[in-house]
Amino acid sequence: MAAFDVVLGCVMALLIILFSISSIARYYIKFTLFAVLSLIFATAPLPLMLFRPFDPKNALIPAALLRFSARLLGIRWTVRGVENVDDSRGAVVLLNHQSSLDLYILAVLWPLMARCTVVSKRSLQFVVPFGTAAWLWGTVFIDRGSAHSARSVLNQQTEAVRDHKRKLLLFPEGTRHSGDKLLPFRKGAFHVAMDAGAPIQPVVVSKYHHVDAKRHRFGSGHIIITILPLIETEGVKKEDISSLIETAQSKMQEEFTRTSAETLSMLHVKNS
């Protein structure tokens, strides 16, 4: 046991030294901590979830713990536009997709929007126990490799949005990226909103300037999360869906460009 303690102490000391002097080591250590803490914090309340399966409120405790872990990793955030949330009805919530760190964004939004349901790729469902916990708080899993299957599952959410006033959270770009321009939006989310007669709620997350996968850099940083005003879909015809998508993407791109420039300026001031 004494030998084990010595080895463990040496390993911890080495990790601390590497964390302090190497940006590459810091990158991998912080992402490892992100993965481990997310797994622990998201699944720790799992036994409590069994008392009310598929209830969005099951995610409130994991969300609080995830926000705590985000702060441990040096991530801070500001939320703007909370007054634009209308909990008296359902909505399709669109978010730009940058990284696995978007999990923290969901953790921030969960207590701000009633009756949230997030759409995720089906492969995550089989990552036990995280997938089990996500399933128990009502995550909708879709097979992105099958357009017909994904569309069928999304269509089933129309009733939840319309009749149960759910907030259906989706990443309309469909894949993660770290560029300055949002990727083209897919139509699925817009079909759900139009079929449910529900509004679109755009949510824009500023660029993660503190994270650079190519350079293996994961520093501390500030994120701006902006909840934009609702975009109504009632009365919009199916043939006008392209115009609706263009309107939503244009508004989100404009806000993304503006807030990303703001957080980049904040980072420069911090590092100067």
Side-chain angles (χ1 to χ4, degrees), residues 235-254:
V236 178
K237 299 178 180 179
K238 288 291 185 179
E239 54 265 31
D240 295 327
I241 190 171
S242 295
S243 177
L244 180 64
I245 293 173
E246 182 180 350
T247 296
Q249 180 146 10
S250 176
K251 290 179 180 292
M252 291 181 69
Q253 179 65 63
E254 181 181 356

Side-chain angles (χ1 to χ4, degrees), residues 41 46 54 108 111 127 143 149 168 198 225 237:
F41 289 161
L46 205 152
F54 317 121
V108 172
V127 181
D143 184 0
S149 174
L168 187 65
I225 304 168
K237 299 178 180 179

Side-chain angles (χ1 to χ4, degrees), residues 60 62-72 77 104 107-108 110-111:
L60 288 175
L65 294 172
L66 287 169
R67 293 193 300 273
F68 171 73
S69 69
R71 293 187 179 94
L72 288 179
W77 57 87
Y104 287 146
V108 172
W110 214 265

Side-chain angles (χ1 to χ4, degrees), residues 23-24 27-28 31 98-101 176-179 207-219:
S23 62
I24 295 177
Y27 174 86
Y28 284 108
F31 260 112
Q98 300 183 68
S99 161
S100 55
L101 295 175
R176 294 174 290 187
H177 75 101
S178 57
K207 190 172 182 178
Y208 299 159
H209 294 295
H210 59 288
V211 178
D212 188 333
K214 292 182 179 179
R215 298 181 180 178
H216 297 92
R217 182 173 59 84
F218 188 162

Side-chain angles (χ1 to χ4, degrees), residues 171-192:
F171 299 101
E173 296 167 285
T175 188
R176 294 174 290 187
H177 75 101
S178 57
D180 295 324
K181 296 291 184 182
L182 303 183
L183 300 179
F185 285 3
R186 299 181 180 183
K187 294 182 179 180
F190 297 87
H191 280 298
V192 173

Side-chain angles (χ1 to χ4, degrees), residues 67-99:
R67 293 193 300 273
F68 171 73
S69 69
R71 293 187 179 94
L72 288 179
L73 296 179
I75 299 173
R76 300 293 184 271
W77 57 87
T78 299
V79 181
R80 298 172 179 172
V82 177
E83 67 277 5
N84 292 319
V85 177
D86 183 359
D87 282 333
S88 68
R89 53 179 174 162
V92 174
V93 182
L94 307 182
L95 303 97
N96 53 304
H97 199 10
Q98 300 183 68
S99 161

